Amino acid sequence: MKRGKRLLSLLLAVLMLGTILPPVTRAAPIVYFTSINDTICNLNDETMPFWSDGVFYIPHTAIDDGSSNKELGIYCAYNREKKLVTLYRQRKVLVFDTAKGTAYDNDDPNTLLGGKAIVRGDIAFLPLDTVTKFFSLGYSYLKVNHGYLIRIKSKSDGLPDSKFIDAATSFMEDRYKQYEKTHGSSSVGTQNNGENSAGKPVYLTVAVSGSAAAESVLTQISASGGAATFVFDSAALSGSDDLLRHIVISGSTVALRVDASRGAEQTLAVIARANEQLWTASNTKTRLVCLDDAPDAVLAAVRAAGYCPVSFALDYHEELPSASRAADSILSLAGKQETCSVFLGSAEQAEELIASLTPSLRAEGCTLARLNEVVA
């Protein structure tokens, strides 16, 4: 009987202790952000870098995301049937055989390099040290809010790490908030992360005249996990260094607006000077140009010089419709043709529209993307 009383007393004590202890809270997920030079990559489980047996792995999509914009100058071909991942830049070719678990220089396939690729789902993850050493790249492994930042660098004249983190913090916060929303509504590794919307890219573009409205548009676009294009004339470039860095870091891009009515020589000179301003501010240049009043001869000269004149499938610079009407027009166009580029006019007039437009487009399976030379 005494033993039974002691057991009962112990059980009651345990139950009481359970009511006193604070509830267990789920720790926020620690993530690995990735940046290529000065551009923050998207954050999702499918492409999240990871450690394995003391080796750090990055997704092949970080090296080459399939767009025309090759930040590292490296091309990646992933042949899933042959189980080969091939990275090449000029005459240097690095091959990962995912079936054999080997890596080698294509010029000397009999000599194996350290490291192997790991396949998870549809992504091949590559050993960071092997890739960076082979192509003479640099990288930094940095502690940031919510986890770590792996910054892969192909140039020594980009932003210093400390300055880059200061400029990129708000965009990493946006990426993390978006990640948490998706992470909280599904199991790890099961999100589609835009796979179903990949066939409907929408290229939203705004003109910059002041930093405040442009920053607001950029923040809203970045929070949705997308990117956009921001058009600057020479006057808007002056004094916009922080904004330009934010645009580049967030994964969006810059185009230049130029009065082309004064002939090819003057037009090319203005573009060159504007690109120098852009380089000084953000260590990047652009080939995207919006030409006003350009004769055919000037267009031809600009293209011959290596620039890409931009045209838009929808142009709302004179008058913006309501968000619902704009969404209807954009979705209709996206369903009919591959490229759906939309000019929304100034950031000031587009700022309020963006708040309603972007959720509507994403709800219909669209992804917001930046212009590039292929689609412009």
Side-chain angles (χ1 to χ4, degrees), residues 113-307:
L113 305 175
K116 64 178 182 178
I118 296 177
V119 176
R120 289 186 173 181
D122 197 42
I123 305 296
F125 288 84
L126 313 176
L128 177 61
D129 276 334
T130 303
V131 173
T132 53
K133 287 178 181 177
F134 188 86
F135 290 105
S136 301
L137 304 172
Y139 73 87
S140 302
Y141 185 86
L142 307 163
K143 182 73 174 72
V144 295
N145 290 341
H146 312 300
Y148 297 87
L149 168 65
I150 295 81
R151 189 182 182 206
I152 304 171
K153 297 171 279 191
S154 63
K155 53 191 179 184
S156 59
D157 52 0
L159 293 173
D161 286 337
S162 58
K163 194 172 183 179
F164 175 77
I165 290 176
D166 287 343
T169 295
S170 63
F171 298 102
M172 286 191 284
E173 289 292 335
D174 289 339
R175 293 282 194 268
Y176 188 77
K177 288 176 184 176
Q178 188 69 22
Y179 172 80
E180 273 199 315
K181 287 180 182 178
T182 310
H183 197 265
S185 62
S186 60
S187 300
V188 173
T190 61
Q191 303 96 306
N192 68 24
N193 290 297
E195 289 177 359
N196 293 332
S197 63
K200 291 183 178 180
V202 174
Y203 305 93
L204 297 181
T205 302
V206 298
V208 177
S209 57
S211 293
E215 286 277 13
S216 175
V217 171
L218 179 62
T219 298
Q220 293 181 67
I221 294 289
S222 298
S224 73
T229 302
F230 294 80
V231 181
F232 288 76
D233 60 18
S234 296
L237 283 172
S238 300
S240 297
D241 290 10
D242 287 343
L243 172 61
L244 290 166
R245 284 192 286 269
H246 290 172
I247 289 170
V248 173
I249 288 167
S250 72
S252 290
T253 195
V254 171
L256 302 174
R257 179 172 291 284
V258 178
D259 178 1
S261 64
R262 291 178 286 178
E265 184 177 351
Q266 181 68 20
T267 299
L268 291 172
V270 172
I271 294 173
R273 286 196 299 270
N275 258 322
E276 287 304 320
Q277 287 181 268
L278 183 57
W279 176 261
T280 300
S282 61
N283 294 293
T284 190
K285 292 186 178 182
T286 184
R287 290 191 290 174
L288 301 173
V289 291
C290 297
L291 302 178
D292 295 332
D293 302 321
D296 291 342
V298 174
L299 279 171
V302 169
R303 290 193 178 102
Y307 298 108

Side-chain angles (χ1 to χ4, degrees), residues 61-135:
T61 52
I63 303 297
D64 178 357
D65 64 1
S67 73
S68 66
N69 184 58
K70 312 296 182 190
E71 285 277 356
L72 300 174
I74 299 172
Y75 291 78
C76 176
Y78 181 14
N79 189 320
R80 292 162 179 79
E81 183 178 345
K82 294 183 178 181
K83 302 186 184 304
L84 295 176
V85 183
T86 305
L87 306 179
Y88 56 98
R89 183 177 65 189
Q90 298 176 345
R91 296 184 178 181
K92 291 185 69 67
V93 182
L94 173 61
V95 181
F96 291 93
D97 187 324
T98 63
K100 297 179 180 179
T102 58
Y104 56 87
D105 184 334
N106 197 56
D107 287 339
D108 186 13
N110 293 322
T111 301
L112 300 182
L113 305 175
K116 64 178 182 178
I118 296 177
V119 176
R120 289 186 173 181
D122 197 42
I123 305 296
F125 288 84
L126 313 176
L128 177 61
D129 276 334
T130 303
V131 173
T132 53
K133 287 178 181 177
F134 188 86
F135 290 105

